[in-house]
Amino acid sequence: MNAPRKLPLAGLLVADFCWIGAGSYTTKIFGDMGADVIKIETSTRLDSLRLAGPYKDGKPGVNRSGYFADRNSSKRGITIDMKHPKALGVIRKLIAKSDIVANNFAAGVMEKFGLGPEDCAKMKPDIIYLAMSMQGSKGPQRDFRGTGSSIAALTGIQYLSGLPDRIPAGTGTNYPDHLPNPCHAAFALLAALRHRRRTGQGQFIDFAQTEPMLSLMGPTFLDLTVNGRLQDRRGSDHPWAAPHGVYPAAGKDRWIAITVMDDAQWSALVDAMGSPAWALEARWQTMPQRYRDREELNRLLGEWTAKQDAQELMQKLQAKGVPAGAVQDAHDVTRVDPQLAHRGHWVRLPHAEMGESLYNNLPFRFSRTPVQPTRPAPLLGEHTREILRDMLGLGDAEIDALEAEQVLK
């Protein structure tokens, strides 16, 4: 099934060697925008996300991971054992037809297969080649390997995340895998495509996954270089404002974030609370006083919020001009949030093994060109025969022979 021609990147072909996190998310963006993204896998060494839950109905399986599915929407998939001597011949045919080759392996892995940027440029002179290793293709640490959590530690965000009296908590792999790296990589690819359209020239994009993370920490670096101050973990505390934190709400494990940045917001919060006697005491009326005794203030405020419904309190406080947000869980986000529902963020697609499944839509809307995931994630090797026959021109007998020789596994 080809993507509708009206999608912005329809007509582009991407040879997608990416796996796991940021790389797969990058090519997912291209697939959702209409590019024909061919995910190249092997059953001899699976993309580890295929083995990561949550699974459909709680039953593990290489085609049952919701985690894998969401990062690989709008792609077709083939399996090929790149270590087989005959694999390279098939891949060469695919690259010769491709506009983009993308991988997020450690530096040097693709070169071992004869698929480095220079090799691919010989197959397709105007190819755009994206290599997303952890620290770039050159330099003293080019061979270091890691995933999102490693990158978070290397770049300092892990150190800053958590409570001051606890070990660093980190952010999981959300940073960098879901945000800075795929977005920066997609931007680089689009710039390279524009350059190729203007000049006819391809491009080698040497992407270091550590570097987009540094762009998230500008104030931290500025504070060190300008003030000589090394920032530390501070949990939900603000440098000077109080109350500022996440407070318990009514129900099991329900929470609400509340921020008061000036005295007017504090007065509004007190009014929303019904002006309890403790909140009217003189010691809470100015920001320096509130900040000095913020631990006690947080305790008193938390005793009140613990009796409130998080969603109702959020709306009540926002109406009074107090920044507040309910801490939503998966149920809230997918089934309650009115704004996401209004924007059509959640897309349901029929998956061959999981049935109807939920996918993230792209977070932007074009005024003239609707975009959204066009197909569910591929089963392992689902489109191998289709692509080899229809795209690469192999006959059924040739494909049968490759299968018999264990090339396509």
Side-chain angles (χ1 to χ4, degrees):
M1 181 176 71
N2 293 320
R5 294 292 301 177
K6 62 184 179 182
L7 292 177
L9 298 184
L12 279 178
L13 179 61
V14 180
D16 179 18
F17 292 86
C18 297
W19 65 337
I20 312 177
S24 293
Y25 214 110
T26 301
T27 49
K28 160 194 163 65
I29 295 171
F30 271 62
D32 290 347
M33 292 180 65
D36 190 0
V37 178
I38 309 299
K39 187 174 182 68
I40 301 157
E41 301 179 86
T42 177
S43 59
T44 64
R45 190 175 182 185
L46 291 169
D47 184 329
S48 60
L49 281 197
R50 285 195 178 274
L51 304 176
Y55 299 105
K56 171 66 174 177
D57 299 328
K59 300 177 181 177
V62 297
N63 297 315
R64 302 183 67 82
S65 167
Y67 199 2
F68 174 88
D70 191 58
R71 290 192 181 181
N72 290 282
S73 59
S74 308
K75 300 180 183 180
R76 296 194 287 170
I78 67 172
T79 48
I80 188 163
D81 180 3
M82 289 303 301
K83 294 182 179 178
H84 194 287
K86 292 189 176 180
L88 186 58
V90 177
I91 292 300
R92 280 177 174 272
K93 291 177 183 289
L94 176 59
I95 291 176
K97 292 179 175 292
S98 297
D99 300 284
I100 294 170
V101 172
N103 81 86
N104 60 337
F105 296 133
V109 169
M110 289 289 277
E111 284 79 357
K112 291 178 182 176
F113 292 128
L115 295 172
E118 294 179 359
D119 301 313
C120 291
K122 292 176 183 175
M123 302 173 204
K124 181 80 179 300
D126 66 347
I127 199 76
I128 294 170
Y129 190 103
L130 171 66
M132 299 176 65
S133 60
M134 187 167 77
Q135 299 203 69
S137 67
K138 296 180 180 178
Q141 297 182 351
R142 68 182 290 275
D143 295 324
F144 285 18
R145 302 181 180 197
T147 58
S149 55
S150 318
I151 295 166
L154 274 174
T155 53
I157 199 168
Q158 180 91 8
Y159 177 81
L160 290 172
S161 304
L163 299 171
D165 57 345
R166 304 281 292 274
I167 61 173
T171 62
T173 58
N174 300 315
Y175 297 93
D177 284 358
H178 293 196
L179 291 173
N181 283 347
C183 293
H184 280 79
F187 181 85
L189 284 173
L190 291 172
L193 285 167
R194 186 172 188 272
H195 177 77
R196 191 183 71 165
R197 187 177 65 187
R198 293 163 64 95
T199 66
Q201 299 172 348
Q203 193 97 226
F204 169 38
I205 303 171
D206 179 13
F207 190 100
Q209 292 201 42
T210 47
E211 293 179 23
M213 288 291 285
L214 302 177
S215 67
L216 304 177
M217 301 174 63
T220 306
F221 300 140
L222 192 63
D223 203 13
L224 178 63
T225 55
V226 174
N227 301 320
R229 185 165 47 209
L230 182 62
Q231 293 189 4
D232 210 333
R233 294 179 297 285
R234 56 173 179 254
S236 297
D237 270 357
H238 188 274
W240 51 264
H244 183 285
V246 177
Y247 303 89
K252 182 181 179 181
D253 198 23
R254 305 302 290 179
W255 304 85
I256 183 168
I258 300 174
T259 293
V260 170
M261 302 301 293
D262 55 40
D263 293 344
Q265 290 179 352
W266 170 249
S267 296
L269 175 59
V270 171
D271 184 57
M273 288 191 290
S275 302
W278 69 264
L280 298 175
E281 294 177 14
R283 59 178 176 147
W284 304 125
Q285 303 315 307
T286 66
M287 185 68 80
Q289 293 171 305
R290 291 195 295 274
Y291 189 77
R292 183 192 61 203
D293 296 324
R294 61 188 180 280
E295 288 189 13
E296 183 180 1
L297 178 58
N298 286 335
R299 179 183 62 78
L300 292 167
L301 180 58
E303 289 176 355
W304 177 74
T305 60
K307 303 171 186 173
Q308 313 298 316
D309 177 82
Q311 294 285 345
E312 292 177 3
L313 180 56
M314 172 182 70
Q315 295 175 16
K316 182 178 182 180
L317 293 180
Q318 288 181 356
K320 289 181 174 292
V322 180
V327 179
Q328 302 196 124
D329 59 18
H331 177 272
D332 298 329
V333 172
T334 57
R335 300 179 182 178
V336 176
D337 191 299
Q339 186 64 19
L340 292 174
H342 174 79
R343 287 179 58 81
H345 180 80
W346 302 109
V347 177
R348 294 183 180 277
L349 295 170
H351 187 274
E353 186 164 331
M354 294 191 288
E356 186 179 82
S357 306
L358 200 64
Y359 291 82
N360 276 288
N361 201 348
L362 290 162
F364 46 81
R365 306 288 181 271
F366 295 123
S367 60
R368 295 183 179 178
T369 311
V371 292
Q372 68 172 42
T374 56
R375 65 165 74 232
L379 304 178
L380 182 63
E382 179 179 356
H383 306 99
T384 301
R385 180 170 287 269
E386 169 187 308
I387 289 169
L388 266 59
R389 182 187 60 225
D390 300 341
M391 179 181 289
L392 305 186
L394 274 66
D396 286 334
E398 292 176 278
I399 299 172
D400 290 342
L402 290 171
E403 287 182 338
E405 294 181 72
Q406 302 292 299
V407 181
L408 306 179
K409 67 175 184 180

